[in-house]
Amino acid sequence: MRLTGADVLEHCLGKAGAWQDEPWEGDVVAKVGDKIFAFLGSGGAVGVKCGSNREEADELVGTYPDDVSKSAYIGRSGWNTVRLGGSVPDQEILELVDASYETIVAKLPKSKRP
């Protein structure tokens, strides 16, 4: 059984200080503090921070070109969209979510970190 959008959301919300928001109608995101660490949209994919820059994020695109793409609008900052149920293993998707969370937490002011 492959990961669903609901599974990824549950994983996100299990992180310290994480909470669900819907800043745009129909687009669910997971936040820590006031920052997004996962874009879940309608549930078929997850957008995550994949490194500190576009070059690092492109490594994942190169590995899974059919299932990982540069995120619209924020891709230049190292965000990728990863399709669920494709060639990216479920465990790797969860690890990407974990890494995105850790990256965003590290950027929060110490007073706002969980």
Side-chain angles (χ1 to χ4, degrees):
M1 187 84 175
R2 297 297 306 265
L3 276 178
T4 65
D7 296 331
V8 176
L9 178 60
E10 182 180 335
H11 181 77
C12 289
L13 298 179
K15 306 230 159 273
W19 58 285
Q20 179 179 335
D21 194 12
E22 191 175 324
W24 309 279
E25 188 174 335
D27 280 336
V28 173
V29 301
K31 290 183 169 182
V32 59
D34 61 349
K35 302 288 185 188
I36 296 170
F37 70 92
F39 290 88
L40 297 149
S42 61
V46 61
V48 289
K49 180 82 166 142
C50 294
S52 60
N53 57 45
R54 187 69 243 156
E55 290 74 31
E56 290 178 22
D58 280 341
E59 292 176 19
L60 192 65
V61 175
T63 304
Y64 302 106
D66 294 333
D67 295 306
V68 178
S69 59
K70 179 172 129 178
S71 295
Y73 309 108
I74 58 172
R76 69 184 176 280
S77 301
W79 287 83
N80 285 338
T81 301
V82 181
R83 188 170 68 87
L84 302 179
S87 61
V88 183
D90 289 350
Q91 186 58 41
E92 188 167 353
I93 292 171
L94 296 177
E95 289 169 4
L96 290 167
V97 168
D98 294 347
S100 183
Y101 170 83
E102 293 297 331
T103 298
I104 299 306
V105 166
K107 291 182 178 187
L108 290 173
K110 289 187 181 183
S111 65
K112 297 203 183 234
R113 292 181 190 170

